[in-house]
Short mmCIF file of all heavy atoms in Angstrom, two decimals:
data_model
loop_
_atom_site.label_atom_id
_atom_site.label_comp_id
_atom_site.label_asym_id
_atom_site.label_seq_id
_atom_site.Cartn_x
_atom_site.Cartn_y
_atom_site.Cartn_z
N ALA C 650 -145.57 -80.52 117.51
CA ALA C 650 -145.06 -81.73 116.90
C ALA C 650 -146.01 -82.86 116.97
O ALA C 650 -146.27 -83.62 116.02
CB ALA C 650 -143.78 -82.17 117.70
N GLY C 651 -146.85 -82.91 118.08
CA GLY C 651 -147.87 -83.88 118.13
C GLY C 651 -148.90 -83.69 117.08
O GLY C 651 -149.47 -84.65 116.57
N ALA C 652 -149.26 -82.47 116.85
CA ALA C 652 -150.27 -82.12 115.87
C ALA C 652 -149.89 -82.64 114.47
O ALA C 652 -150.79 -82.94 113.60
CB ALA C 652 -150.64 -80.76 115.84
N SER C 653 -148.58 -82.75 114.17
CA SER C 653 -148.09 -83.07 112.88
C SER C 653 -148.43 -84.51 112.56
O SER C 653 -148.56 -84.99 111.33
CB SER C 653 -146.63 -82.93 112.68
OG SER C 653 -145.91 -83.86 113.52
N PHE C 654 -148.71 -85.34 113.55
CA PHE C 654 -149.11 -86.69 113.40
C PHE C 654 -150.60 -86.81 112.91
O PHE C 654 -150.91 -87.94 112.28
CB PHE C 654 -148.99 -87.54 114.64
CG PHE C 654 -147.57 -87.77 115.11
CD1 PHE C 654 -147.00 -87.00 116.04
CD2 PHE C 654 -146.79 -88.86 114.50
CE1 PHE C 654 -145.64 -87.20 116.49
CE2 PHE C 654 -145.50 -89.05 114.86
CZ PHE C 654 -144.93 -88.25 115.90
N THR C 655 -151.43 -85.82 113.13
CA THR C 655 -152.83 -85.91 112.84
C THR C 655 -153.16 -84.93 111.71
O THR C 655 -153.31 -85.26 110.56
CB THR C 655 -153.77 -85.75 114.03
OG1 THR C 655 -153.21 -84.46 114.79
CG2 THR C 655 -153.61 -86.93 114.96
N ILE C 656 -153.18 -83.68 112.09
CA ILE C 656 -153.57 -82.62 111.13
C ILE C 656 -152.38 -82.29 110.22
O ILE C 656 -152.55 -81.44 109.29
CB ILE C 656 -154.07 -81.35 111.79
CG1 ILE C 656 -153.05 -80.80 112.67
CG2 ILE C 656 -155.37 -81.71 112.53
CD1 ILE C 656 -153.52 -79.46 113.34
N GLY C 657 -151.29 -82.97 110.38
CA GLY C 657 -150.20 -82.81 109.44
C GLY C 657 -149.93 -83.86 108.42
O GLY C 657 -149.24 -83.69 107.48
N SER C 658 -150.61 -84.99 108.65
CA SER C 658 -150.43 -86.18 107.65
C SER C 658 -151.73 -86.91 107.51
O SER C 658 -152.32 -86.81 106.41
CB SER C 658 -149.26 -86.94 108.15
OG SER C 658 -149.49 -87.36 109.50
N VAL C 659 -152.12 -87.68 108.53
CA VAL C 659 -153.16 -88.63 108.24
C VAL C 659 -154.64 -88.10 108.38
O VAL C 659 -155.62 -88.69 107.82
CB VAL C 659 -153.09 -89.87 109.21
CG1 VAL C 659 -151.74 -90.61 109.01
CG2 VAL C 659 -153.16 -89.45 110.64
N GLY C 660 -154.72 -86.85 109.00
CA GLY C 660 -156.04 -86.37 109.10
C GLY C 660 -156.98 -86.98 110.09
O GLY C 660 -158.24 -86.99 109.87
N GLY C 661 -156.47 -87.57 111.21
CA GLY C 661 -157.24 -88.21 112.24
C GLY C 661 -156.40 -88.84 113.21
O GLY C 661 -155.16 -89.12 113.07
N PHE C 662 -156.89 -89.01 114.44
CA PHE C 662 -156.21 -89.65 115.57
C PHE C 662 -156.53 -91.14 115.65
O PHE C 662 -157.67 -91.59 115.62
CB PHE C 662 -156.62 -88.93 116.87
CG PHE C 662 -155.75 -89.44 118.09
CD1 PHE C 662 -154.53 -88.90 118.37
CD2 PHE C 662 -156.27 -90.42 118.92
CE1 PHE C 662 -153.77 -89.32 119.41
CE2 PHE C 662 -155.63 -90.87 119.93
CZ PHE C 662 -154.31 -90.24 120.18
N GLY C 663 -155.40 -91.90 115.94
CA GLY C 663 -155.54 -93.36 116.27
C GLY C 663 -154.73 -93.64 117.57
O GLY C 663 -153.78 -92.88 117.98
N LYS C 664 -155.05 -94.72 118.24
CA LYS C 664 -154.42 -95.08 119.43
C LYS C 664 -152.93 -95.29 119.18
O LYS C 664 -152.50 -95.84 118.23
CB LYS C 664 -155.02 -96.39 119.97
CG LYS C 664 -156.45 -96.24 120.51
CD LYS C 664 -156.87 -97.67 121.07
CE LYS C 664 -158.27 -97.57 121.60
NZ LYS C 664 -158.75 -98.78 122.21
N ASN C 665 -152.10 -94.67 120.16
CA ASN C 665 -150.71 -94.63 120.08
C ASN C 665 -150.13 -94.30 118.77
O ASN C 665 -149.22 -94.94 118.20
CB ASN C 665 -150.26 -96.09 120.52
CG ASN C 665 -148.74 -96.18 120.90
OD1 ASN C 665 -148.17 -95.11 121.38
ND2 ASN C 665 -148.10 -97.28 120.83
N ILE C 666 -150.72 -93.25 118.20
CA ILE C 666 -150.31 -92.87 116.81
C ILE C 666 -148.92 -92.46 116.80
O ILE C 666 -148.15 -92.45 115.75
CB ILE C 666 -151.23 -91.66 116.35
CG1 ILE C 666 -151.01 -91.44 114.86
CG2 ILE C 666 -150.95 -90.46 117.13
CD1 ILE C 666 -152.05 -90.47 114.30
N THR C 667 -148.27 -92.02 117.92
CA THR C 667 -146.88 -91.50 117.91
C THR C 667 -145.86 -92.61 118.02
O THR C 667 -144.71 -92.39 117.69
CB THR C 667 -146.66 -90.66 119.09
OG1 THR C 667 -146.97 -91.27 120.31
CG2 THR C 667 -147.53 -89.36 118.99
N SER C 668 -146.28 -93.83 118.36
CA SER C 668 -145.36 -95.02 118.39
C SER C 668 -143.93 -94.86 118.92
O SER C 668 -143.04 -95.22 118.36
CB SER C 668 -145.27 -95.48 116.92
OG SER C 668 -146.47 -95.83 116.39
N GLY C 669 -143.86 -94.11 120.09
CA GLY C 669 -142.64 -94.00 120.75
C GLY C 669 -141.70 -93.01 120.16
O GLY C 669 -140.49 -92.89 120.47
N LYS C 670 -142.20 -92.08 119.29
CA LYS C 670 -141.34 -91.15 118.62
C LYS C 670 -140.79 -90.08 119.68
O LYS C 670 -139.71 -89.54 119.43
CB LYS C 670 -142.10 -90.31 117.61
CG LYS C 670 -142.54 -91.16 116.33
CD LYS C 670 -141.59 -91.85 115.61
CE LYS C 670 -141.99 -92.51 114.29
NZ LYS C 670 -143.16 -93.54 114.57
N GLY C 671 -141.46 -89.88 120.72
CA GLY C 671 -140.95 -88.99 121.84
C GLY C 671 -139.64 -89.45 122.37
O GLY C 671 -138.78 -88.67 122.72
N TYR C 672 -139.55 -90.74 122.53
CA TYR C 672 -138.25 -91.37 123.04
C TYR C 672 -137.18 -91.20 122.16
O TYR C 672 -135.97 -90.96 122.47
CB TYR C 672 -138.47 -92.80 123.48
CG TYR C 672 -139.48 -92.94 124.56
CD1 TYR C 672 -140.79 -93.52 124.23
CD2 TYR C 672 -139.30 -92.65 125.89
CE1 TYR C 672 -141.70 -93.74 125.31
CE2 TYR C 672 -140.17 -92.77 126.97
CZ TYR C 672 -141.39 -93.35 126.58
OH TYR C 672 -142.40 -93.51 127.49
N ILE C 673 -137.49 -91.30 120.77
CA ILE C 673 -136.46 -91.10 119.82
C ILE C 673 -136.05 -89.65 119.79
O ILE C 673 -134.80 -89.32 119.56
CB ILE C 673 -137.06 -91.40 118.40
CG1 ILE C 673 -137.51 -92.86 118.30
CG2 ILE C 673 -135.96 -91.18 117.25
CD1 ILE C 673 -136.45 -93.94 118.53
N ALA C 674 -136.93 -88.71 120.08
CA ALA C 674 -136.56 -87.29 120.15
C ALA C 674 -135.41 -87.07 121.34
O ALA C 674 -134.55 -86.31 121.20
CB ALA C 674 -137.75 -86.47 120.42
N LEU C 675 -135.72 -87.82 122.47
CA LEU C 675 -134.73 -87.69 123.50
C LEU C 675 -133.30 -88.28 123.12
O LEU C 675 -132.37 -87.79 123.45
CB LEU C 675 -135.26 -88.56 124.76
CG LEU C 675 -136.42 -88.01 125.50
CD1 LEU C 675 -136.93 -88.93 126.56
CD2 LEU C 675 -135.92 -86.68 126.19
N ALA C 676 -133.34 -89.41 122.31
CA ALA C 676 -132.10 -89.87 121.73
C ALA C 676 -131.48 -88.85 120.84
O ALA C 676 -130.23 -88.72 120.76
CB ALA C 676 -132.39 -91.12 120.95
N ALA C 677 -132.28 -88.08 120.09
CA ALA C 677 -131.71 -87.04 119.27
C ALA C 677 -131.13 -85.96 119.94
O ALA C 677 -130.09 -85.36 119.56
CB ALA C 677 -132.80 -86.51 118.31
#
Side-chain angles (χ1 to χ4, degrees):
S653 70
F654 290 98
T655 50
I656 59 177
S658 55
V659 299
F662 183 83
K664 290 184 178 180
N665 196 24
I666 192 173
T667 57
S668 300
K670 300 298 191 302
Y672 298 107
I673 300 298
L675 285 173

